[in-house]
């Protein structure tokens, strides 16, 4: 069973990407043959700066390897370097109902965020994602909760393709992680997002001082902030972050201390900042070393592209044969 997952080169990686996706990828690559894709064609569906794109791709690759993605075990490549994915997207477009695409929450959200740029690519985003998954016949797709709806659509497209043209693809399934939905520091009703501004997220490269500074102004349990009630840990965004990095003893101390108003939010934030900084320190160290040799990183991507294309070309020929597009 092959695993596939993608990530957009849209900016600095944050702890939502890390706990929601990458940390899990690192574990799963030990269990499944894995393919990780830097999805630049997805990233251009919203306004972006072409001048920074190559840097973002390089930095994301460095981040992924620093987090533990191992190019000796897994295939790591850039989406636009495998044109078979866009070819398969066109093919899948012909069996994807427009009504289904209109239902996609991400399309609705991003259209609202960028009303000046509601483009066909943004609308078709889930079909490109389906094409990527099916091209490598992946069955395991680890994602954050925000991508589950897209994966459901991929499963529907898979069934439709198989029914129309004969059994070709296996239905992929999503794997969710403990941190499958990390919320924004400034608005706990929204998911943490690269594009929402640095004050809303903790990036993987933030120093311990920056982490603490960002947490100091982060929203906690609204009742506790208004001082109308003692805290309710489960209603506090930061308590959920604690669950990802703090020991069970610390969690117990915080939960009890918060409910009885024995500890203040600042103490709780300081402990969280320390624990997050400790988790990120080895990644930051590795990142520094990797950044010294960009040519080596580019070579890793070139090798990954070669391996990915071999699989992609084979699938595309099979698809075209089934569809009567070649003999
Ligand atoms: N807040 C989050 N909590 C948990 N998981 C998350 N992911 C993203 N945000 C969270 C997961 O990270 C993987 C890669 O995401 P992506 O970069 O491809 O796209 P995204 O989901 O659109 O991420 P961002 O940070 O919100 O980027 P922008 O702002 O550019 O749109 C996915 O598996 C995703 O679920």
């Amino acid at each position: 069973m092959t695993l596939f997952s993608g990530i957009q080169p849209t900016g600095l990686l944050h702890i939502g990407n890390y706990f929601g996706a990458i940390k899990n990828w690192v574990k799963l690559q030990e269990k499944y043959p894995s393919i990780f894709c830097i999805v630049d064609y997805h990233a251009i569906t919203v306004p972006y700066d072409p001048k920074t794109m190559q840097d973002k791709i390089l930095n994301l690759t460095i981040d992924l390897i620093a987090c533990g993605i191992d190019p000796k075990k897994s295939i790591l490549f850039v989406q636009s370097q495998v044109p078979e994915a866009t070819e398969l997207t066109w093919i899948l477009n012909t069996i994807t109902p427009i009504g289904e695409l209109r239902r996609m929450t991400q399309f609705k959200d991003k259209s609202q965020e960028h009303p000046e740029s509601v483009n066909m690519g943004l609308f078709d985003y889930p079909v490109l994602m389906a094409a990527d998954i099916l091209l490598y016949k992946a069955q395991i797709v680890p994602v954050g909760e925000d991508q589950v709806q897209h994966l459901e659509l991929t499963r529907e497209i898979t069934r439709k393709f198989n029914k129309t043209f004969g059994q070709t693809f296996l239905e992929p399934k999503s794997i969710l992680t403990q941190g499958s939905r990390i919320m924004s520091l400034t608005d706990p009703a929204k998911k943490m997002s690269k594009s929402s501004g640095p004050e809303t997220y903790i990036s993987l490269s933030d120093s311990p001082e920056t982490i603490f500074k960002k947490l100091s102004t982060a929203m906690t349990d609204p009742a506790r902030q208004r001082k109308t009630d003692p805290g309710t840990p489960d209603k506090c965004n930061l308590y959920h972050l604690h669950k990802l990095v703090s020991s069970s003893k610390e969690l117990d101390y915080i939960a009890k201390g918060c409910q009885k108003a024995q500890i203040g939010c600042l103490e709780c934030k300081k402990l969280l900042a320390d624990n997050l900084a400790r988790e990120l320190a080895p990644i930051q160290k590795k990142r520094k070393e990797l950044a010294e040799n960009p040519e080596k990183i580019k070579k890793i991507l070139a090798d990954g592209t070669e391996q990915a294309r071999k699989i992609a070309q084979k699938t595309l020929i099979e698809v075209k044969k089934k569809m009567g597009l070649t003999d």
Side-chain angles (χ1 to χ4, degrees):
M1 270 202 287
T2 301
L3 177 151
F4 180 93
S5 207
I7 187 156
Q8 300 188 77
T10 39
L12 290 174
L13 281 189
H14 52 71
I15 55 169
N17 301 128
Y18 179 65
F19 290 109
I22 302 161
K23 194 171 178 188
N24 200 25
W25 296 358
V26 172
K27 268 195 238 142
L28 291 168
Q29 71 180 346
E30 303 297 332
K31 202 167 160 197
Y32 304 103
S34 301
I35 304 177
F36 300 111
C37 183
I38 296 183
V39 291
D40 53 348
Y41 272 166
H42 277 117
I44 61 170
T45 58
V46 293
Y48 74 103
D49 179 2
K51 288 191 214 83
T52 62
M53 183 54 107
Q54 286 306 310
D55 268 356
K56 284 190 174 139
I57 290 174
L58 190 74
N59 278 316
L60 178 53
T61 314
I62 291 174
D63 275 334
L64 291 174
I65 300 172
C67 286
I69 297 299
D70 182 352
K72 289 202 186 86
K73 288 192 185 124
S74 305
I75 299 177
L76 181 57
F77 74 105
V78 179
Q79 187 179 37
S80 62
Q81 302 305 305
V82 178
E84 286 76 12
T86 36
E87 231 182 307
L88 185 58
T89 303
W90 179 256
I91 288 171
L92 299 182
N93 273 338
T94 64
I95 57 164
T96 306
I98 286 180
E100 290 298 318
L101 291 174
R102 279 209 192 100
R103 289 180 42 240
M104 295 295 122
T105 312
Q106 181 181 283
F107 174 68
K108 291 185 208 159
D109 289 352
K110 295 221 165 173
S111 304
Q112 263 181 10
E113 241 177 82
H114 306 280
E116 74 296 349
S117 172
V118 183
N119 60 72
M120 194 59 208
L122 189 61
F123 191 60
D124 211 26
Y125 184 114
V127 185
L128 176 57
M129 178 167 159
D132 270 331
I133 295 166
L134 297 183
L135 203 50
Y136 304 100
K137 300 210 171 172
Q139 277 184 278
I140 310 284
V141 186
V143 286
E145 228 171 66
D146 55 323
Q147 294 298 326
V148 171
Q149 195 186 29
H150 288 169
L151 205 77
E152 273 311 311
L153 181 64
T154 302
R155 290 161 60 85
E156 223 178 295
I157 293 172
T158 308
R159 288 193 289 270
K160 182 105 178 264
F161 188 96
N162 289 341
K163 196 163 165 233
T164 314
F165 302 108
Q167 182 62 40
T168 310
F169 300 116
L170 296 159
E171 277 184 47
K173 63 168 197 250
S174 56
I175 300 190
L176 286 170
T177 55
Q178 195 200 358
S180 59
R181 197 163 165 78
I182 309 278
M183 309 315 278
S184 156
L185 295 181
T186 51
D187 180 359
K190 282 194 185 153
K191 80 163 190 135
M192 190 175 278
S193 221
K194 296 185 211 89
S195 47
S196 304
E199 71 289 355
T200 66
Y201 60 73
I202 289 173
S203 96
L204 296 195
S205 49
D206 280 343
S207 66
E209 296 73 33
T210 307
I211 295 175
F212 182 59
K213 205 167 149 212
K214 285 183 180 177
L215 288 179
S216 311
T217 50
M219 287 276 291
T220 58
D221 170 17
R224 173 123 191 199
Q225 283 204 291
R226 288 194 305 269
K227 299 195 169 44
T228 51
D229 254 328
T232 312
D234 269 322
K235 287 189 187 155
C236 177
N237 192 18
L238 301 190
Y239 183 67
H240 292 288
L241 290 182
H242 263 295
K243 285 186 190 164
L244 300 167
V245 287
S246 301
S247 67
S248 46
K249 205 171 149 200
E250 285 168 334
L251 282 176
D252 198 45
Y253 170 72
I254 290 156
K256 285 187 184 139
C258 178
Q259 275 161 338
K260 293 181 185 154
Q262 283 166 344
I263 63 164
C265 285
L266 207 63
E267 185 184 342
C268 170
K269 286 173 170 180
K270 178 77 181 83
L271 184 61
L272 178 60
D274 289 346
N275 289 348
L276 275 170
R278 200 186 48 234
E279 173 99 15
L280 299 185
I283 299 173
Q284 293 176 356
K285 184 169 174 271
K286 184 90 199 286
R287 175 177 221 300
K288 236 180 167 173
E289 290 160 19
L290 291 164
E292 279 166 19
N293 197 347
E295 289 314 311
K296 193 172 162 194
I297 303 297
K298 287 180 190 164
K299 171 85 172 61
I300 288 172
L301 289 177
D303 290 348
T305 302
E306 208 181 308
Q307 295 177 64
R309 271 204 93 176
K310 263 191 207 141
I311 308 170
Q313 283 166 345
K314 195 167 160 232
T315 305
L316 201 62
I317 288 171
E318 186 190 351
V319 165
K320 285 182 171 175
K321 278 188 182 160
K322 291 252 167 76
M323 296 179 74
L325 296 169
T326 188
D327 47 8

